[in-house]
Amino acid sequence: QARSSSRPYDLYQPQQEMDPDAERKLVRKLENALEVGELQLHYQPKVHAKYHSLMGAEALLRWHTSDKLIGPNKFIQIAERHEVITHITWFAIKSAVARLARWPEELSIAVNVAPNLLLNDQILSVVHDALDIYGVTPGRLTIEVTERVMIDDPQVMLQQLGRLRKLGVKISLDDFGTGFSSLSYFRDLPVDEIKIDKSFVSMMVESEKDLAIVKAVIGLAHNFSMRVVAEGVETMDIARQLSDLGCDVLQGYVFDKPLPVEVFELDYGLARDA
Ligand code: C2E
Ligand code: CA
Ligand code: CA
Ligand code: CA
């Protein structure tokens, strides 16, 4: 596992440490937050690389306490060690699908799903039932799975991704390049989309090496009929370069930060009369 330390910009984060009491307290607070509606999804646009037209959004969790807004990096890793992540994830899937039902058919939403939940059989019925109840076309929902999970139990992971895909939802391999990426992923993984990690995207203008990696990933992914999304696009210069390289979809601060859903809908003309 020593490999991760050899790259200064690696996003492979060490486990968050916390004393058990504080951790239990945080988990209880999270459970409560979910119950009282303090956990919400913010939406960040994913745009067409050439035309910058809206293609959909990534749903990102935010915790609105009475006095501040807390980002997922402060609690998601802790949550993932406890049962509460199950409730949080089912909530995220259901609210994203409910949102899709109100948006135009051509828009999609991506939801992040933690490793251990992907292996939870319940996910199949949660996804299926949500799509069914809201009458949403399955292909409009994308499940983002971080690449790091593939190492745990590749066989089971493969099966489970295959089952999800059978429901018609899209699978996206998140944070590509930060974990233990292997070329065999391109051959073996049933995924529709590769998300190039923002560490490569932000470095590609300064570093020929990162540029070469981005180019190679785009080329390979296209050979396997996968769509390529670049995340962390912060300048128009990078956006243009990615588009020239054939990248399909862009996401990043240069277009918008993750926005509260009402703001997103207003800004993109999706708001409906109440
Ligand atoms: P991620 O899935 O890699 O999401 C992308 C992160 O990059 C988000 O951070 C987003 O706000 C940020 N970002 C977007 N554009 C830019 C940019 O141009 N520059 C930079 N520097 N950053 C950008 P966020 O919202 O803080 O989320 C952090 C992580 O928390 C996510 O990383 C994801 O792994 C996790 N997460 C968020 N929501 C959920 C959720 O509902 N479930 C689970 N299991 N994990 C979640
Ligand atoms: Ca993601
Ligand atoms: Ca990512
Ligand atoms: Ca990430």
Side-chain angles (χ1 to χ4, degrees):
Q1 311 265 51
R3 240 191 85 195
S4 57
S5 59
S6 64
R7 298 198 21 199
Y9 46 83
D10 202 323
L11 294 187
Y12 198 97
Q13 286 167 348
Q15 283 293 304
Q16 271 166 21
E17 291 298 336
M18 208 181 214
D19 87 77
D21 275 346
E23 181 156 333
R24 262 194 302 277
K25 211 170 145 202
L26 176 65
V27 168
R28 265 203 309 276
K29 277 189 172 170
L30 270 171
E31 276 160 358
N32 180 64
L34 186 59
E35 244 162 66
V36 302
E38 285 181 358
L39 290 189
Q40 290 169 18
L41 294 175
H42 281 203
Y43 289 87
Q44 186 178 35
K46 287 168 107 170
V47 306
H48 191 285
K50 277 209 170 59
Y51 312 120
H52 297 182
S53 52
L54 187 69
M55 301 190 69
E58 177 175 3
L60 294 154
L61 215 50
R62 297 289 181 269
W63 183 357
H64 293 257
T65 68
S66 50
D67 56 340
K68 57 183 183 300
L69 187 67
I70 307 176
N73 287 333
K74 293 269 192 298
F75 60 83
I76 207 79
Q77 280 192 46
I78 305 278
E80 283 177 13
R81 300 205 282 261
H82 299 268
E83 177 67 14
V84 68
I85 191 65
T86 316
H87 308 132
I88 292 177
T89 307
W90 297 171
F91 155 78
I93 291 172
K94 287 172 194 166
S95 52
V97 172
R99 209 34 77 175
L100 277 172
R102 303 158 49 98
W103 290 1
E105 183 66 24
E106 64 273 15
L107 297 182
S108 61
I109 294 179
V111 176
N112 293 282
V113 174
N116 39 346
L117 279 187
L118 208 67
L119 298 175
N120 181 328
D121 271 333
Q122 252 187 303
I123 194 175
L124 293 164
S125 57
V126 171
V127 168
H128 172 272
D129 292 354
L131 293 167
D132 199 46
I133 288 165
Y134 291 101
V136 166
T137 312
R140 299 175 63 204
L141 179 68
T142 299
I143 305 247
E144 292 194 5
V145 190
T146 177
E147 179 231 306
R148 288 166 293 178
V149 310
M150 299 303 158
I151 47 178
D152 288 353
D153 199 341
Q155 257 347 88
V156 182
M157 191 61 72
L158 269 174
Q159 278 178 8
Q160 197 70 345
L161 290 178
R163 290 188 193 116
L164 277 166
R165 226 171 164 215
K166 255 202 179 135
L167 294 178
V169 303
K170 305 283 186 210
I171 307 290
S172 175
L173 200 53
D174 204 353
D175 304 328
F176 192 78
T178 58
F180 295 85
S181 321
S182 151
L183 288 179
S184 64
Y185 287 175
F186 286 102
R187 185 191 61 207
D188 301 335
L189 285 183
V191 306
D192 304 278
E193 180 184 285
I194 298 274
K195 260 187 123 163
I196 304 181
D197 191 76
K198 54 178 173 280
S199 56
F200 299 102
V201 172
S202 59
M203 292 294 290
M204 62 181 262
V205 269
E206 301 146 49
S207 149
E208 302 221 342
K209 290 180 178 170
D210 287 86
L211 179 63
I213 290 172
V214 170
K215 265 189 201 166
V217 170
I218 293 173
L220 262 167
H222 283 168
N223 266 304
F224 288 90
S225 305
M226 295 168 184
R227 191 167 90 138
V228 183
V229 180
E231 68 175 16
V233 181
E234 294 185 352
T235 68
M236 274 304 162
D237 186 35
I238 293 180
R240 211 163 13 245
Q241 281 202 53
L242 285 162
S243 169
D244 289 346
L245 292 175
C247 185
D248 304 288
V249 180
L250 308 178
Q251 179 183 349
Y253 293 164
V254 71
F255 301 106
D256 252 320
K257 297 205 161 178
L259 302 168
V261 67
E262 316 80 51
V263 179
F264 184 90
E265 290 184 344
L266 266 177
D267 284 7
Y268 290 90
L270 308 173
R272 292 220 205 137
D273 300 326

